[in-house]
Amino acid sequence: MATDDGSTKDRARAPDPTRRRRRRMTGKERREQLLDIGRALFAERGFEGTSVEEIAAKAGVSKPVVYEHFGGKEGLYAVVVDREMSRLLDMVTGALTGGHPRELLEQAAFALLDYIEQYTDGFRILVRDSPVAQSTGTFASLISDIATQVEDILGLEFKARGFDPKLAPLYAQALVGMVALTGQWWLNARRPNKSEVAAHLVNLAWHGLDGLEQKPRLIGHRRS
C-alpha cells in the first residue's frame, strides 16, 4: 500500500493547535500580578516575614523585575497599603449618605464590617503592622481620617442639642475607635453575624449619645 510520506512529515512539523504559547504580560499586568501576590503574602506573614525572593518566585520572575516596578519590598508594601487605605476610606465615607444620626452610625459600622468581610487580606495588612492602639501608623492615620468625617456630623448634632461642638472630635475618635477595635476582634471571630455586630455597636453608641450629660463628672475622687 502506498503511503504519503510527505504528508506525514508535514503533519509532524505542523504546530499542535492544542498547545499555545504563553502570552507575555504587559508592564501593567505584571505590576498588578506582583501587587496581588504581595498583598496575599503581607496579609499572611506581615511585612517582615515576606521577602522579595518569595514574591518574585510566586510571580515566576527574577528579583530585578520586582525592583524595576517598585524599587523593592518597601515600595510594593507602600502601594498595597495606600490602596487598602483608600478603599476603606471610600467605603466608609461613601456609606454616609445622610438621614437620621442613628442611621449614619449604622452606615459607618456596616461599611467597616463590609470591608473586613470583602477585603479580609487588606484589613489584616492594615492592622498587622500598624495596630489601632499605636498613636502613629497607617491604620491609626486612617481611623483619624474616618473620624474627621464623623466629626462634622457629630458637631451639628451637638450644636442642635445644646452641647459644646468643640467636643465633637473627641467623641468622633471614641466612636470610630470603638468600631475599629470591634472590627479587629470580629476579623477572626465572625460571630455573631455582621448585622448583629452592627446592631450592638449602634445600640451602645446611640444610647450612650442619647443619654449624654452636658457636663459629665467623675464620681471618684481623682485629680485632673
Side-chain angles (χ1 to χ4, degrees):
M1 179 180 293
T3 59
D4 188 351
D5 293 337
S7 298
T8 302
K9 291 179 180 179
D10 288 342
R11 286 197 297 270
R13 288 195 298 265
D16 185 350
T18 63
R19 296 178 61 186
R20 295 182 180 178
R21 294 183 62 185
R22 182 179 297 177
R23 184 176 66 84
R24 185 182 180 87
M25 285 188 178
T26 64
K28 182 178 180 181
E29 289 171 337
R30 179 67 72 190
R31 180 181 174 86
E32 291 302 317
Q33 180 206 29
L34 292 171
L35 283 169
D36 288 341
I37 291 172
R39 183 176 182 270
L41 288 173
F42 290 138
E44 180 184 355
R45 304 180 184 180
F47 177 78
E48 295 298 335
T50 301
S51 68
V52 173
E53 289 84 355
E54 188 170 12
I55 294 171
K58 285 187 175 293
V61 298
S62 61
K63 286 170 55 178
V65 174
V66 180
Y67 287 107
E68 178 185 345
H69 282 278
F70 300 100
K73 182 175 71 170
E74 293 79 5
L76 175 57
Y77 179 78
V79 175
V80 169
V81 169
D82 184 65
R83 283 189 173 190
E84 294 305 322
M85 289 179 66
S86 296
R87 178 181 286 132
L88 175 53
L89 185 60
D90 287 346
M91 287 181 70
V92 173
T93 56
L96 302 177
T97 56
H100 192 275
R102 177 166 180 167
E103 188 177 4
L104 288 170
L105 285 174
E106 292 179 5
Q107 292 167 351
F110 258 111
L112 179 59
L113 295 174
D114 281 341
Y115 172 78
I116 294 172
E117 186 175 61
Q118 296 172 28
Y119 304 101
T120 301
D121 279 355
F123 191 73
R124 287 189 190 281
I125 291 169
L126 294 178
V127 300
R128 178 193 287 273
D129 293 311
S130 298
V132 175
Q134 292 182 351
S135 59
T136 59
T138 56
F139 195 58
S141 300
L142 178 62
I143 292 303
S144 292
D145 289 342
I146 296 173
T148 299
Q149 306 292 327
V150 178
E151 176 186 323
D152 295 335
I153 298 168
L154 283 180
L156 295 173
E157 188 68 14
F158 274 30
K159 189 174 182 180
R161 293 181 177 224
F163 292 99
D164 185 357
K166 293 180 180 179
L167 293 174
L170 187 159
Y171 282 91
Q173 291 285 341
L175 286 171
V176 173
M178 177 183 70
V179 176
L181 283 170
T182 302
Q184 276 191 268
W185 165 79
W186 189 70
L187 175 66
N188 294 314
R190 299 299 174 104
R191 291 289 187 278
N193 64 43
K194 184 170 59 177
S195 295
E196 287 184 78
V197 173
H200 284 289
L201 281 169
V202 174
N203 182 44
L204 174 60
W206 180 253
H207 288 293
L209 289 171
D210 193 46
L212 283 182
E213 298 173 346
Q214 288 193 6
K215 294 183 178 181
R217 297 179 181 180
L218 299 174
I219 61 174
H221 298 287
R222 296 176 179 269
R223 294 181 179 179
S224 60

